[in-house]
Amino acid sequence: RDLLVKVELGAVGEDAGGCAVAARTRLPPGIYVDPYELASLQQHNLTKVVLIPDVIDVEAPEYLATNLLVLLYLEPDPGCSRCFRAALPVHGRYHRPAEESEEVLVVLKSPEVLACCCDNRLSAECWKPAEVEAPCSGKNVGPCQWYSITHKPAYEESILQVPVGLRQHSSLVCVVTLLATVLCSSLILAAVCKYGNFS
């Protein structure tokens, strides 16, 4: 699924002309960003993201994973002069089997909206300095001063439904997995004995 972030700067939009806008959000352990997919998107200039930490174990289950801090650079929206948007593909992690429900809910808080104006035109009264060590453009250039924008989110949080297995199915899954393994191993062994050249 794609996490779609849209920002309309409203009355301060005119003051932010030429500024970079980003969304800083913390992904909970239940979801993650695939760094290989992200590298492909960035190579084609489809998205710009800074991940903290930048090393992600995509195979870790939810109960062994940690939070991921994402700084997602937003692009100007062609249909709206004061609007910015970006999409980030996210994936659900493997969760422990549940007792009753076949899905778990992963809560994603509304992101913090940041602006970076390297000509320092923004007044300190309207914009709160943010502690962000990242360049304005998303490229490997020295970091500049980011400012946190007070905003009213459309949704305080988003909820992602992740399917999980049921605990009462564990015995059936183990038996079927064992039978499939024995059957496939037998077929491979039979083919090797029949067609193998052991001379």
Side-chain angles (χ1 to χ4, degrees):
R1 297 186 177 188
D2 280 355
L3 173 64
L4 181 61
V5 179
K6 295 181 181 179
V7 173
E8 183 176 354
L9 294 184
V12 297
E14 291 80 8
D15 297 332
C19 297
V21 179
R24 180 168 62 173
T25 187
R26 191 172 298 277
L27 298 183
I31 55 178
Y32 70 97
V33 177
D34 186 339
Y36 304 107
E37 180 182 19
L38 196 58
S40 175
L41 291 173
Q42 294 193 92
Q43 185 177 6
H44 294 91
N45 290 325
L46 296 176
T47 189
K48 296 176 187 174
V49 179
V50 174
L51 302 176
I52 304 171
D54 56 358
V55 177
I56 301 170
D57 184 358
V58 298
E59 296 181 4
E62 175 268 339
Y63 49 88
L64 294 179
T66 57
N67 289 343
L68 177 64
L69 187 62
V70 176
L71 183 66
L72 176 63
Y73 293 88
L74 308 181
E75 297 291 334
D77 189 341
C80 173
S81 61
R82 297 179 301 193
C83 302
F84 297 82
R85 61 182 295 163
L88 179 69
V90 295
H91 305 275
R93 289 191 181 274
Y94 174 79
H95 288 67
R96 293 183 192 274
E99 291 289 346
E100 299 173 2
S101 175
E102 293 186 0
E103 59 186 27
V104 294
L105 303 179
V106 177
V107 178
L108 182 62
K109 298 290 184 185
S110 177
E112 178 186 9
V113 179
L114 304 173
C116 173
C117 300
C118 296
D119 56 4
N120 294 322
R121 288 184 296 106
L122 302 177
S123 61
E125 296 83 31
C126 302
W127 306 73
K128 177 183 172 186
E131 294 181 10
V132 176
E133 290 279 338
C136 280
S137 63
K139 298 174 182 171
N140 293 326
V141 187
C144 63
Q145 179 62 62
W146 285 92
Y147 292 89
S148 180
I149 302 173
T150 303
H151 70 291
K152 182 180 179 182
Y155 304 99
E156 290 293 336
E157 59 186 27
S158 300
I159 298 177
L160 181 68
Q161 296 175 326
V162 179
V164 296
L166 293 175
R167 193 163 289 176
Q168 62 258 31
H169 293 164
S170 59
S171 299
L172 176 63
V173 170
C174 289
V175 169
V176 171
T177 302
L178 181 63
L179 290 176
T181 303
V182 170
L183 175 63
C184 292
S185 300
S186 301
L187 291 173
I188 292 171
L189 185 59
V192 167
C193 291
K194 183 174 182 180
Y195 300 107
N197 186 359
F198 300 103
S199 56

